Amino acid sequence: MEELIESAERVEKGVLLTPELDQALFHGSSIGGARPKALIQDQGKKYVAKFSSSTDLYSVVKTEFIAMRLAELAGLNVAPVKLAKAANKDVLLIERFDRVPKGDKWARKAMVSALTLFCLDDMMARYASYETLSEIIRHRFTDPKHTLKELFSRLVFNILCGNTDDHARNHAAFWDGKVLTLTPAYDICPQGRTGNEASQAMLISGDNNLSQLKTCLETAHNFLLSEKEARETFGSLTAAIEQNWDVVCEEAKLNEVDKKLFWRRQFLNPYSVEQ
């Protein structure tokens, strides 16, 4: 990991890599994304390793770890994560759920992104919506009622934690050749925020994508949820964040400056919790 961190820094500076590290960082991966990352294997498990960037204004790696852990503690189905240190820098390790051991090798689980399900390309991604995804789930997914509640909870949690990067490539489903099944959540990463107002990457209700719980209320019926059930979801997820905040921040060894920066700005921002 130390070599990979050094290589990521070289990439950011525009310095050429050795062919071996170039292969490890880029050609062995189709994981994409904006942050420096690599695929690694350790103790019989495969991980996506996300590294700190020299351009980070705060601990982005720790923020994603905190959001993912809080989501797990709130009862959402999320990819397991852990923090590591290499070259005195934080590394986020996300366990891969699209690989399964098969003898002494690995098999790939077939997956499709929501962008593919929408039949959209990156240029048309602005038309992606939670309403459309909920309709696809009702017709083509396993256990649609449970899946709809899970997706609604993920939408609400994204708003509560300040993750506005919930674009259609950050939702996916397993495909077994017949039916679709929602994958665990991934890339729950609170975004930097200067003011209160924010909007989600996908439309929520009609043309509305404002990052507010009241926007979620408008679309609850698309997820086969009553207003009462939607509000119960708001309450349980908010409580989970409040109750586990200190413990998870301590788990991440988050300093007090960043802790104060995130609380009520990214996490539980007053604008977002308006109902």
Side-chain angles (χ1 to χ4, degrees):
M1 284 200 296
E2 290 181 356
E3 282 186 273
L4 289 168
I5 286 174
E6 184 181 336
S7 300
E9 291 172 349
R10 287 167 68 91
V11 170
E12 289 183 324
K13 293 173 184 175
V15 180
L16 288 175
L17 296 175
T18 65
E20 294 80 11
L21 287 170
D22 182 57
Q23 181 77 18
L25 269 183
F26 296 108
H27 302 300
S29 161
S30 59
I31 48 179
R35 300 195 61 73
K37 63 186 71 168
L39 304 178
I40 64 171
Q41 183 173 327
D42 182 49
Q43 298 181 353
K45 292 183 178 180
K46 282 187 174 285
Y47 298 92
V48 174
K50 290 188 177 181
F51 307 119
S52 303
S53 170
S54 59
T55 59
D56 288 344
L57 299 177
Y58 56 89
S59 183
V60 176
V61 163
K62 285 186 176 181
T63 314
E64 183 170 349
F65 170 82
I66 290 167
M68 293 285 284
R69 284 286 292 123
L70 286 171
E72 180 185 8
L73 292 168
L76 299 185
N77 178 21
V78 301
V81 293
K82 62 181 182 179
L83 277 176
K85 277 272 190 187
N88 204 34
K89 290 194 173 183
D90 296 310
V91 181
L92 178 65
L93 298 175
I94 306 108
E95 191 174 329
R96 297 195 69 168
F97 48 74
D98 61 337
R99 298 290 188 274
V100 288
K102 195 171 185 180
D104 59 348
K105 296 183 179 179
W106 291 85
R108 180 193 296 263
K109 294 186 72 171
M111 277 175 50
V112 290
S113 71
L115 193 66
T116 299
L117 295 176
F118 294 145
C119 298
L120 297 174
D121 59 27
D122 288 313
M123 296 297 292
M124 303 294 285
R126 65 185 180 278
Y127 297 111
S129 76
Y130 280 97
E131 284 183 326
T132 303
L133 186 51
S134 69
E135 183 178 357
I136 294 171
I137 287 171
R138 291 197 298 272
H139 292 286
R140 300 179 59 191
F141 274 64
T142 56
D143 197 359
K145 188 169 178 61
H146 173 78
T147 303
L148 286 167
K149 187 167 192 314
E150 171 72 17
L151 181 63
F152 184 79
S153 298
R154 292 183 190 185
L155 164 60
V156 172
F157 188 84
N158 281 334
I159 288 173
L160 292 176
C161 79
N163 174 34
T164 55
D165 194 35
D166 56 339
H167 55 78
R169 285 195 184 279
N170 279 344
H171 299 278
F174 295 123
W175 170 245
D176 67 0
K178 294 181 180 178
V179 289
L180 297 157
T181 304
L182 197 65
T183 70
Y186 55 94
D187 278 0
I188 304 177
C189 186
Q191 305 298 300
R193 201 164 179 157
T194 52
N196 281 334
E197 288 190 19
S199 55
Q200 298 305 117
M202 291 210 313
L203 299 170
I204 299 171
S205 176
D207 293 329
N208 185 355
N209 66 340
L210 294 179
S211 306
Q212 294 185 296
L213 294 184
K214 61 184 178 184
T215 313
C216 297
L217 270 184
E218 293 174 10
T219 197
H221 64 280
N222 288 302
F223 295 84
L224 306 183
L225 296 171
S226 65
E227 181 179 334
K228 180 174 180 290
E229 290 170 321
R231 291 188 182 278
E232 285 172 354
T233 300
F234 300 164
S236 64
L237 293 178
T238 301
I241 292 172
E242 291 174 337
Q243 291 164 11
N244 294 295
W245 173 252
D246 289 329
V247 173
V248 174
C249 286
E250 187 175 334
E251 200 177 316
K253 295 183 173 60
L254 190 70
N255 65 53
E256 285 299 318
V257 173
D258 278 349
K259 188 176 177 182
K260 288 177 181 177
L261 175 70
F262 301 151
W263 189 243
R264 304 295 181 188
R265 183 173 295 183
Q266 276 96 333
F267 294 86
L268 303 186
N269 185 286
Y271 173 82
S272 298
V273 298
E274 283 183 23
Q275 297 182 42

